[in-house]
Amino acid sequence: MLNGKILTPGNFRICRGNVIMLMMPIYSHSQLSMYQQCPLKYKLCYRDKIKRDTEGVEAFLGTTVHETLKKCYDDARLTRVNTLDELLAYYENIWQQNWHDAIIITKKDLGQEHYRALGRKLVESYYRRYAPFDADITIATEMMINFQLEDSRKHRLIGYIDRLARTGDDIYEIHDYKTSAHLPSQEDADNDRQLGLYQIGIQKRWPDIKNIRLIWHYLAFDRELVSSRSGEVISKLVTETSRLIDEIETTADFRPQESGRCEWCEYPDLCPLRKHFYQLEALPVNEYRREPGVVLVNKYAELKEKASEIDMEIGRVKEAILDYAREQQVEVIKGSDRKVRLRFDEKLKFPGKNDAGRQELDSTLIEAGKWPEVSQLDTALLARAIEGGQWDKGLIYEVMKHGRIETVSSIHISKLKDEVE
Ligand code: SF4
């Protein structure tokens, strides 16, 4: 019972492993991650509840491999250890049964067969490593946890543990299968929120459990990552998760956040960052080139290119004007209907923050006790102190070893009748 309402599966809907909240403030790790990755996608999926039938092939592969490993351990619990051939046959069977037309393969050079074979390989390598699956006692597979994050708050967390096991030395292990092509670092594992939350769920259900080990199986790498959480780390996780939930519940700013994940996003048609791409994909090539947005961007790019060529040309003419003025010893040069005025000022310059000689200059000033006068490494201030003649000659001599006189030029262009300066 929560706030007078009974918490039942009817209070939420599962959408491809993610929980869609209907009435209760229930969150899952995937939901929180989606908000952190792209607030707009989170809003479209969980707030606006816009359903999409499409599914990425990577997610389909992950689900199929998870189902196969679930069967493997469920059977092993009943003392029926599948042979590798039996398990692979099961995998092939559910792949074929569940494959549907809305599965999206974004990598154009790869087909269904590639992913099917990849999943097969993952199952095979897992099997070879862990058969006959009797290193521990499997307590549950695909185990749902649903718990109140903090006693003083209404929020609940939900998740599914791929496999919960107990070892001979009474350590409880939370196993998670990963089919991704990315192997995270140990530091990433030590900071992972998902299994940390699962640990909280387990300890809420069985408070006498003290020793918990978190294990990720990165199947593509035949690699386990293992981590554990102290009580202090768990408390911090609860605080941070509650803070994130507060942010989600109070924000009105669900901005799109572009990343590599956009490739798999189900909402390109509703996203201001991807909508135009999506619209163009549907157009035949001849219409694509005439589409007003494409035409405008092409024009803008063309003009920007010309502008940069013009900027370079202006730089070259400016240099030529300066050379001309020096040769002719003039400061104003007349054109047909305009003129340019030139100024040649001398300014003291010192090495900048990262320039050679800067450290020695700093030491000179510090030793002379003048550092506070020119602190924050303000070379303009230093130049003013030297030019102002406020320091004794010996020090100015030392400081000037690091300085140089540079000619600073500038050109102002105006019409003859608008003469200024
Ligand atoms: S396309 Fe990218 S930025 Fe847009 S909603 Fe999807 S994930 Fe977010």
Side-chain angles (χ1 to χ4, degrees):
M1 181 85 75
L2 185 68
N3 290 349
K5 293 168 186 154
I6 295 168
L7 188 69
T8 70
N11 296 134
F12 55 87
R13 185 152 43 85
I14 309 296
C15 164
R16 283 203 291 284
N18 297 325
V19 177
I20 293 179
M21 184 175 68
L22 297 179
M23 293 165 60
M24 310 295 287
I26 299 176
Y27 292 87
S28 68
H29 163 74
S30 337
Q31 196 171 345
L32 300 177
S33 294
M34 189 185 289
Y35 173 79
Q36 289 176 310
Q37 285 155 10
C38 176
L40 176 62
K41 185 175 176 185
Y42 168 86
K43 177 178 175 287
L44 296 169
C45 183
Y46 294 107
R47 286 275 174 99
D48 303 344
K49 300 183 177 65
I50 297 172
K51 284 189 73 182
R52 291 288 146 100
D53 295 330
T54 54
E55 178 180 13
V57 68
E58 292 83 359
F60 178 80
L61 183 153
T63 306
T64 312
V65 169
H66 274 70
E67 271 187 48
T68 307
L69 296 182
K70 174 175 164 45
K71 175 190 169 48
C72 174
Y73 280 102
D74 285 349
D75 285 353
R77 283 166 77 195
L78 301 172
T79 66
R80 185 188 180 284
V81 177
N82 287 273
T83 64
L84 177 58
D85 285 346
E86 284 170 335
L87 205 59
L88 290 175
Y90 179 81
Y91 166 83
E92 294 285 353
N93 191 29
I94 54 171
W95 180 284
Q96 272 167 25
Q97 269 179 12
N98 297 336
W99 184 266
H100 55 93
D101 292 343
I103 292 175
I104 297 171
I105 301 178
T106 50
K107 293 191 170 61
K108 301 292 176 214
D109 53 333
L110 301 177
Q112 183 197 158
E113 194 47 38
H114 165 86
Y115 290 96
R116 197 182 57 77
L118 175 61
R120 207 183 141 91
K121 196 173 144 221
L122 301 184
V123 171
E124 196 173 333
S125 74
Y126 186 91
Y127 187 98
R128 292 197 190 287
R129 181 168 180 148
Y130 296 103
F133 314 105
D134 57 358
D136 50 31
I137 298 166
T138 296
I139 295 168
T141 57
E142 286 289 319
M143 177 188 172
M144 186 175 94
I145 47 160
N146 182 329
F147 60 94
Q148 202 166 343
L149 187 59
E150 288 183 275
D151 292 345
S152 57
R153 295 168 64 102
K154 60 187 180 196
H155 306 114
R156 298 188 72 83
L157 263 294
I158 190 170
Y160 290 85
I161 296 175
D162 287 342
R163 189 170 77 93
L164 179 68
R166 181 162 58 83
T167 65
D169 46 0
D170 213 26
I171 295 174
Y172 284 78
E173 292 181 337
I174 295 173
H175 292 265
D176 197 62
Y177 311 128
K178 299 288 187 198
T179 53
S180 74
H182 165 71
L183 179 67
S185 64
Q186 182 61 46
E187 192 184 351
D188 293 334
D190 292 338
N191 291 313
D192 177 86
R193 179 179 54 216
Q194 183 185 14
L195 296 205
L197 290 175
Y198 292 176
Q199 172 167 340
I200 298 171
I202 291 298
Q203 287 181 314
K204 289 226 174 202
R205 183 180 290 195
W206 293 293
D208 62 311
I209 293 181
K210 300 291 175 233
N211 297 319
I212 295 186
R213 196 181 281 147
L214 312 178
I215 304 176
W216 294 261
H217 299 270
Y218 279 86
L219 274 58
F221 304 91
D222 193 19
R223 177 96 160 82
E224 275 185 6
L225 286 178
V226 182
S227 183
S228 57
R229 299 286 183 274
S230 65
E232 196 185 333
V233 171
I234 288 290
S235 301
K236 197 166 159 236
L237 177 63
V238 169
T239 308
E240 284 171 357
T241 306
S242 290
R243 202 175 293 145
L244 178 59
I245 291 172
D246 286 343
E247 182 187 321
I248 293 173
E249 293 192 345
T250 53
T251 189
D253 186 20
F254 292 94
R255 294 200 60 72
Q257 198 161 304
E258 204 164 21
S259 73
R261 290 186 178 86
C262 293
E263 217 179 313
W264 293 278
C265 180
E266 298 95 335
Y267 304 105
D269 54 323
L270 299 174
C271 171
L273 304 185
R274 304 295 290 188
K275 192 173 174 177
H276 193 234
F277 290 69
Y278 177 81
Q279 288 168 340
L280 292 180
E281 271 171 26
L283 294 180
V285 178
N286 54 343
E287 278 184 47
Y288 171 97
R289 294 211 181 96
R290 289 201 303 268
E291 198 273 341
V294 173
V295 171
L296 284 168
V297 170
N298 289 349
K299 188 72 193 164
Y300 185 73
E302 193 185 312
L303 290 171
K304 285 291 281 183
E305 206 167 302
K306 277 187 192 157
S308 95
E309 280 168 20
I310 288 169
D311 282 347
M312 280 164 63
E313 186 62 19
I314 287 174
R316 283 193 286 271
V317 174
K318 183 179 165 185
E319 282 304 314
I321 288 174
L322 290 168
D323 289 346
Y324 178 89
R326 284 190 198 101
E327 274 169 32
Q328 299 297 322
Q329 299 189 346
V330 293
E331 293 185 10
V332 177
I333 305 173
K334 185 176 177 300
S336 300
D337 60 349
R338 290 160 205 243
K339 68 175 183 179
V340 295
R341 182 183 294 275
L342 297 101
R343 283 176 54 175
F344 296 91
D345 301 322
E346 290 196 332
K347 286 188 180 168
L348 256 180
K349 285 275 180 184
F350 290 94
K353 207 174 182 178
N354 302 313
D355 291 345
R358 177 57 183 247
Q359 267 189 336
E360 292 83 348
L361 172 60
D362 289 350
S363 305
T364 304
L365 294 168
I366 291 164
E367 276 167 28
K370 296 294 180 188
W371 181 252
E373 293 178 47
V374 291
S375 61
Q376 297 170 0
L377 306 180
D378 189 336
T379 52
L381 192 62
L382 172 60
R384 273 211 295 283
I386 300 280
E387 285 168 339
Q390 303 149 8
W391 296 354
D392 71 63
K393 284 200 175 80
L395 176 58
I396 290 176
Y397 175 77
E398 283 303 313
V399 171
M400 281 308 295
K401 283 184 186 168
H402 309 285
R404 65 184 188 278
I405 306 286
E406 260 184 19
T407 301
V408 181
S409 60
S410 59
I411 296 178
H412 303 280
I413 188 162
S414 63
K415 288 186 178 175
L416 276 171
K417 61 178 175 136
D418 296 331
E419 189 174 330
V420 283
E421 295 188 85

